[in-house]
Each structure stands twice: as C-alpha cells, then as structure tokens.
Amino acid sequence: MGDQFIEVDNIFPEFTNSEVCSIEKFAQKIKDLDPGDIIEFGVASAQTTIEIARNNLDRKLFAYDHFMGLEESSKPLPIHAGWHEGAFRVGDPDYPHIPGSIAGVFKKLEPYPNVNLFVEDVHELKDPSEYGIGKVVAVNVDVDIYEPTVSCLKFLDKCDWDKLYIRFDDWHGHDPQFDHHERLAAREWLDRTGYKFEIPENGHVGGMIVWR
C-alpha cells in the first residue's frame, strides 16, 4: 500500500480494493486471454519484459523505450519516488540492475524471439501497423509519470482491440501523492473515449480491464 493510504481513492473512488497486479500475476493471467499480441511501454532493465515473454512464448510482445530515462514532468512528483529527469536510463548508477547500454538490453532479450524491441520515444510512435502489431489483448504500462502515460494510451486508441488487460506498474491506488500520474492519465483517457472498464487491482500496481 502507498505511504499515504486513504480509504477512498481520489481518482477512482468507485473502486475500493487494494489488490496488486504483480508482474508474475499479470504474466500468468495473460495466458487465459483470447489470442493476441502484448505491448509494453517502458523496458529499462527488461526484467518485466522477460517475465511476460517467457510465460507467453506463443504471443508476440512489442516493447518500447528510448532508454534515456524519465522526462521532466509538469505534474507534482511524489516526494520519495525518485522520478527526477533521466532516472531509470541505461547506465543509471542508482539502478545497477539496468544494463549499461541499449545493446546490453537487446542481449538480455536474445533468448526470447517473441519480443520485438523498439528504441523509440512513446511521444513519437508511428502507426501500429508499421510495427507489425496485430490484435492486442494485454498491455504493460511502466513509464511512471503523467505525460508518457497519456501518449501510451493515445497509441492504444490506434491499435486493434476489443478488450484489453492493462497493467500499470506505478498505479498507487489510494495514495494521493500519485494522483497526478498514471491514474489521472487513465481517468482522462476513459472519460474522453467512453470505454467501459473495471479495475480488479487498484493497489500499488494496478490492473484494469477495458472494453471498446
């Protein structure tokens, strides 16, 4: 649970649960979904990429990261999140588990031929067809802050899907310190599009089901 846990979530007050969508849980639940592709926004060390890929070898996983770390956000940042500009880049001395180069990330992913890794900024993604993305069933959003989350969700509008299971790595449900980031971006997206949704996991790591 968040450092400042409150009973009623400010952004999604209709969901009171604090279940957590761990990467292991997410990777396993994808197995039960209809046939389709997986998208991951934010790769960094590639540990989540590997967990998803190795448990779903029959699905293509399209992963995106520019590997330059976080951009500067216009939104208030949680005090202890460490979300300063450049955080989580390749070679970040604060996170030695992240490879020192982009080539090192590609090397880690070599055993998983179902992974298609693209070194791109999520704000500048091309049409999904240019990457070979088919019908999408699952998405892992691990970009932390508001602005790239907005761009990731706008990209999903262009993709082919009927129902999505979306994992938000830094959801922090019920923690007002994080109200301005992934949850706010998701709320605005849902309000704008009118997509139907449920949030079975509204805890530290979120899990959302969305229908067109």
Side-chain angles (χ1 to χ4, degrees):
M1 294 183 184
D3 296 333
Q4 305 291 326
F5 185 83
I6 56 177
E7 291 297 326
V8 178
D9 186 279
N10 292 329
I11 309 299
F12 289 95
E14 64 268 51
F15 295 94
T16 59
N17 74 83
S18 57
E19 298 298 316
V20 174
C21 184
S22 69
I23 192 61
E24 295 82 8
K25 180 179 181 179
F26 179 69
Q28 289 295 319
K29 288 179 74 171
I30 292 173
K31 293 181 178 181
D32 297 326
L33 302 179
D34 290 341
D37 295 339
I38 307 165
I39 297 176
E40 179 173 59
F41 300 108
V43 177
S45 69
Q47 288 305 112
T48 57
T49 318
I50 290 170
E51 183 67 20
I52 297 168
R54 71 180 184 87
N55 282 284
N56 295 277
L57 294 172
D58 59 335
R59 297 180 188 271
K60 293 180 181 179
L61 170 54
F62 296 85
Y64 299 88
D65 200 317
H66 57 25
F67 296 102
M68 294 186 291
L70 297 182
E71 63 192 82
E72 183 178 359
S73 178
S74 65
K75 301 291 186 180
L77 297 178
I79 297 172
H80 303 297
W83 287 354
H84 55 83
E85 187 176 3
F88 314 117
R89 65 192 181 277
V90 289
D92 188 337
D94 293 329
Y95 300 93
H97 65 287
I98 300 177
S101 66
I102 295 174
V105 180
F106 275 95
K107 184 69 175 177
K108 286 182 70 173
L109 292 172
E110 282 182 358
Y112 308 97
N114 56 326
V115 176
N116 299 276
L117 176 59
F118 296 92
V119 182
E120 297 206 29
D121 189 324
V122 296
H123 299 305
E124 300 174 2
L125 294 180
K126 300 180 281 290
D127 189 84
S129 63
E130 297 198 33
Y131 304 106
I133 299 174
K135 193 163 190 176
V136 182
V137 295
V139 181
N140 186 43
V141 178
D142 190 2
V143 294
D144 300 351
I145 58 177
Y146 173 80
E147 288 85 354
T149 306
V150 170
S151 290
C152 293
L153 297 174
K154 285 182 178 179
F155 182 75
L156 293 182
D157 288 332
K158 302 176 183 178
C159 293
D160 178 20
W161 57 273
D162 300 316
K163 177 183 177 181
L164 290 178
Y165 181 30
I166 308 177
R167 176 182 183 269
F168 292 90
D169 190 74
D170 285 278
W171 188 252
H172 297 275
H174 307 279
D175 187 340
Q177 295 182 93
F178 293 82
D179 284 350
H180 299 281
H181 296 282
E182 287 184 354
R183 276 182 293 130
L184 177 60
R187 178 96 255 182
E188 292 175 346
W189 178 59
L190 295 166
D191 289 346
R192 173 178 60 81
T193 60
Y195 297 147
K196 296 179 181 179
F197 68 98
E198 291 180 359
I199 304 179
E201 293 111 1
N202 192 41
H204 179 75
V205 183
M208 177 186 291
I209 302 170
V210 186
W211 293 266
R212 257 190 173 136

